[in-house]
Each structure stands twice: as structure tokens, then as C-alpha cells.
Amino acid sequence: MDVRTLCLGILTLGDASGYEIKKQFEEGPLAFFYQIGFGAIYPALKSLNRDGLVNCTEIMQHGRPNKKIYSITSEGIKIFKKYLMRTPACDKLRSESIVMFFFAHFLAKEHLDGVFEGYLDENRKAVETIKNINQNNISPECQFTNGLGLTVYNAIVHYMENNRRLLFDEKGSDQREPEMK
Amino acid sequence: MDVRTLCLGILTLGDASGYEIKKQFEEGPLAFFYQIGFGAIYPALKSLNRDGLVNCTEIMQHGRPNKKIYSITSEGIKIFKKYLMRTPACDKLRSESIVMFFFAHFLAKEHLDGVFEGYLDENRKAVETIKNINQNNISPECQFTNGLGLTVYNAIVHYMENNRRLLFDEKGSDQREPEMK
DNA sequence: ATAACCATGTAAATGGTTACATGATTAG
DNA sequence: CTAATCATGTAACCATTTACATGGTTAT
């Protein structure tokens, strides 16, 4: 799913500027299922506008660039719906932290410790971010995806808390098995 | 983490051909944390060889292209370890299925149903694949990452089984809240 | 004072996917 | 007989990231 399609999707929820769309991908309900940056969003909006899938209203501002509010057109909605009829691609995950855990025997203890705490932190923050999404008045779909995210990030946090020893125990200790509930 | 680095990592586990490295990223313990294809692996191995980070031994075969077994050099190990000293990037996930759930109100019921069952299946298969990784004689690091993967994919499967109604219930039913253990 | 936030945009570089090209062997 | 597996590789294409460019406002 490319950035153009993702922007169309966000705009079905209401008008927004590029900046606001970026925020959606940092703190909004889709933040955990896609990450995109300014360098991809601004050109995407431009090309969507060129193709008539979104309209643009410029709001004059002083001291900063004019704000451009985009709204999706009926043609844009049509294209977005059409995209959704496809069979979705498989999930793609890229986790450098987990690769580092896998190769933990090559890491200095202090560094491994930093990577571990950093990853715990990343996942704890994800839990907090989802909890902070306003839970009133949200659609059941959004409840579903929020709940899924919360479940996954909580599972990671708990697993890490309970299985730290697999990465940090000295050699020669008893057999170890991962604990899972 | 680029494909070159990932290939070096795999080769620290033992010599392998490009084809075998690909299999590692389909069925091996890293399969859930990175996905890469032939079109990226073969050029990567070629360039690693050119840079002296891996050696290549060609094994003659009849009826199919000669097999090229790569082995990591001491320089390659040095470079790989150096890479691991960096601060890992944040996880990047891309899930078209979850985006489709989020926009479920735009989908025909039959299609939503297909996407839902497909995603359940994808995650159930992931659980099976991890369970099928030979659990004897594996390092604690690998136990850790396998266990983490198992925990996450199990959590997704159970969440989906228990919260199907959030996506499929008719409008006008009682208030619904996601169930999480 | 300092950091974070607001606000947009371009160009170059990176890096990976997809499609193509080839074709025997083995398992069900 | 059909599908999957084995086995490598290139080239064109696609999409995104990163770095650069600019700079006032607001909260701590």
C-alpha cells in the first residue's frame, strides 16, 4: 500500500494538511501499522491533487508556510474503495532490535542491555500511545485495530520482562525455556 | 539493516548459498523479523564477495545452475560486529490487512470476511512455522526470539478469535469493548 | 534559553521489488 | 501429470528515506 493510497484513506476521515497526516502516522490509530515521513507525504498529496483525487485549499499564515488543507474528492473515494477490494499483501516487519537479540552473542553486555531497555521502552510507549487515543466515540473498526495493537505491544512487553534471563544469564546455568502464558 | 548486513549475519551461522539464505528468511528463526527476496540477495552476495567480506566456492551441478556456497571472511565478521554496535532503528511494520480492518466500513461483507480469514490463517501459519523450528540444541538467544515471535502471533490469533464481532456485528447492537486478557 | 512544535517542499541517493530468462528433478 | 523444489541471475522500475532549505511560535 503506497503513500498515495494511505493519504487517501486518512482523508476519508476528514480534511487535513500534510503535517496533520504525518501526525496521524505518529500518534493516530494507524501509527502502528504504517510509518511514513514528510518526504513521502508532500509529493504524494501533490500528485493526488494533480490527478483530481484530492482538492487543496490554501490558508494564509504569517511567519510560516501557508497551510494547505486537502479534502478527498468523490473520484478519490472511488479509487480508495477500489484499492480496498484487493487481496492484502502479507505483513512486513523489520526489526533491527530483534535481529540484535538473535545475534546477542556478538554484542558487548552494556550494549545489549541498552538495546534491550530501548526496545522495552519503545514497546511500552506504543502501549501508552494507544491507550491515549481517545476511546470515546470511536468506531468498532478502530476499537478492533486499537485493541489488536494494544494486545501485541503488551504481549511483547510482558514477554521481555519475563524472559530477560534468556539473553543475560551466564553460561552454565540450568536449562532455560521461554515462559509463555 | 540492509540485505548485505542480513546476509553476513546468516553466514555467521554457517556457509550457505543464496538459495539457502532465502529459505532462512522464509522458514528460519529470522523469518518474522525480516523478509527479503532473491532479487536482493543475489546482488548482495555478489557485492559482498567483491568487497572481500565473503568467499565463494562454486559446486558443479548438472541440469541446474552451479551452486555457489558462500562463507564469511574474518573481515566480514568484523564488519558485521561493527554494524551490531549501532543503536537499532525502530521497528517498521506494514500491515495492509489491518489497514483494511480499519476501513472495514468500505468493504463488502464477503471481502472483509476473506481478508479476516486470510489474516487469521497467515498468523496461525506463523505460529506453526515457529513451532516447527527445531527446538533442540538451539541457543538461548534463538529461544528468546522464537518465543517472542510465538507470543506475538498467538496473541494476534487469540485476539482475532475473540473480537471478530467488532468488525462483523450489525449496527445497533449493544456497546462493544475489545476483550483482552 | 532551549526544546518542541508548526509548516512546506525538493533533489539526490538508497534500496528493494517485480518481471524476465532458463530448466531439470522430485514428491504426491 | 502436476506442483513444488532446486538454483542463479539481470535490468527496469518503483517507492521511500535522507539531507537540505527556511524560520516563527509556544511551552518549560
Side-chain angles (χ1 to χ4, degrees):
Chain A
M1 197 172 295
D2 61 21
V3 175
R4 275 170 56 102
T5 307
L6 256 3
C7 286
L8 283 181
I10 295 294
L11 290 174
T12 67
L13 307 174
D15 299 351
S17 64
Y19 189 85
E20 287 161 353
I21 290 173
K22 176 67 163 72
K23 268 209 303 193
Q24 287 284 312
F25 283 101
E26 276 165 0
E27 304 158 13
L30 286 177
F32 304 103
F33 313 118
Y34 264 97
Q35 296 78 40
I36 54 182
F38 284 127
I41 291 172
Y42 288 125
L45 288 170
K46 200 182 197 179
S47 88
L48 287 169
N49 187 228
R50 190 194 55 213
D51 297 346
L53 307 185
V54 302
N55 286 136
C56 177
T57 309
E58 207 164 341
I59 294 178
M60 297 302 162
Q61 297 197 135
H62 44 281
R64 64 183 58 159
N66 292 334
K67 195 169 179 173
K68 291 182 173 178
I69 304 290
Y70 293 90
S71 58
I72 192 166
T73 64
S74 56
E75 182 66 12
I77 293 176
K78 207 174 102 187
I79 296 285
F80 183 62
K81 283 186 181 173
K82 197 170 152 194
Y83 185 90
L84 293 180
M85 292 195 289
R86 304 176 1 146
T87 298
C90 289
D91 284 5
K92 288 195 199 323
L93 170 64
R94 318 196 142 184
S95 181
E96 293 203 5
S97 297
I98 299 182
V99 172
M100 288 198 182
F101 297 147
F102 186 80
F103 291 108
H105 50 286
F106 286 130
L107 272 66
K109 264 174 221 113
E110 311 77 48
H111 181 54
L112 177 57
D113 204 70
V115 174
F116 191 89
E117 293 306 322
Y119 196 58
L120 246 182
D121 213 54
E122 187 182 316
N123 284 285
R124 282 184 183 137
K125 276 187 185 134
V127 169
E128 288 315 307
T129 301
I130 299 178
K131 281 185 180 166
N132 285 336
I133 294 172
N134 176 24
Q135 297 293 332
N136 307 323
N137 239 346
I138 62 173
S139 65
E141 292 95 307
C142 187
Q143 282 177 42
F144 180 87
T145 56
N146 280 179
L148 179 54
L150 207 47
T151 298
V152 168
Y153 292 105
N154 260 323
I156 294 175
V157 169
H158 291 140
Y159 180 85
M160 288 181 74
E161 287 169 348
N162 294 326
N163 292 280
R164 209 177 188 283
R165 73 206 146 72
L166 284 170
L167 296 179
F168 290 94
D169 270 10
E170 297 302 318
K171 288 166 194 171
S173 60
D174 305 298
Q175 273 88 354
R176 290 161 290 184
E177 296 254 321
E179 271 174 29
M180 276 162 288
K181 272 197 299 223
Chain B
M1 198 173 294
D2 61 20
V3 175
R4 274 169 57 100
T5 307
L6 256 2
C7 287
L8 283 181
I10 295 293
L11 291 173
T12 66
L13 308 173
D15 298 351
S17 64
Y19 190 84
E20 287 160 352
I21 290 174
K22 175 69 162 72
K23 269 209 302 194
Q24 287 285 311
F25 283 102
E26 276 165 2
E27 304 158 13
L30 285 177
F32 304 103
F33 313 118
Y34 265 96
Q35 298 77 41
I36 53 182
F38 285 128
I41 292 172
Y42 288 125
L45 288 169
K46 200 182 198 180
S47 88
L48 288 169
N49 187 229
R50 190 194 52 213
D51 297 346
L53 307 185
V54 302
N55 286 137
C56 177
T57 309
E58 207 164 342
I59 295 178
M60 298 301 162
Q61 297 197 138
H62 44 282
R64 63 183 59 159
N66 292 334
K67 195 170 178 173
K68 292 183 174 179
I69 304 290
Y70 293 91
S71 58
I72 193 166
T73 63
S74 57
E75 180 66 12
I77 293 175
K78 207 174 99 186
I79 296 287
F80 183 62
K81 283 186 182 173
K82 196 171 151 193
Y83 185 90
L84 293 181
M85 292 194 289
R86 304 176 1 146
T87 298
C90 289
D91 284 6
K92 287 195 199 322
L93 170 64
R94 317 198 141 185
S95 180
E96 294 203 2
S97 298
I98 298 182
V99 172
M100 288 197 184
F101 297 146
F102 186 79
F103 291 108
H105 50 285
F106 287 129
L107 273 67
K109 265 174 218 110
E110 312 77 47
H111 181 55
L112 177 58
D113 204 70
V115 174
F116 191 89
E117 293 307 323
Y119 196 58
L120 245 182
D121 214 54
E122 186 183 316
N123 284 285
R124 283 186 181 134
K125 276 187 185 133
V127 169
E128 288 315 307
T129 302
I130 299 177
K131 282 185 179 164
N132 285 337
I133 294 171
N134 176 24
Q135 297 293 330
N136 307 323
N137 239 346
I138 63 172
S139 65
E141 291 94 309
C142 188
Q143 283 176 43
F144 180 86
T145 56
N146 280 180
L148 180 54
L150 207 47
T151 299
V152 168
Y153 292 105
N154 261 322
I156 294 175
V157 169
H158 292 140
Y159 180 86
M160 288 182 74
E161 288 170 347
N162 295 326
N163 293 280
R164 209 176 187 285
R165 73 204 148 71
L166 283 172
L167 294 179
F168 291 94
D169 271 9
E170 298 302 319
K171 289 167 195 172
S173 59
D174 306 297
Q175 273 87 353
R176 291 161 289 185
E177 297 255 319
E179 271 173 29
M180 275 164 287
K181 269 196 301 226

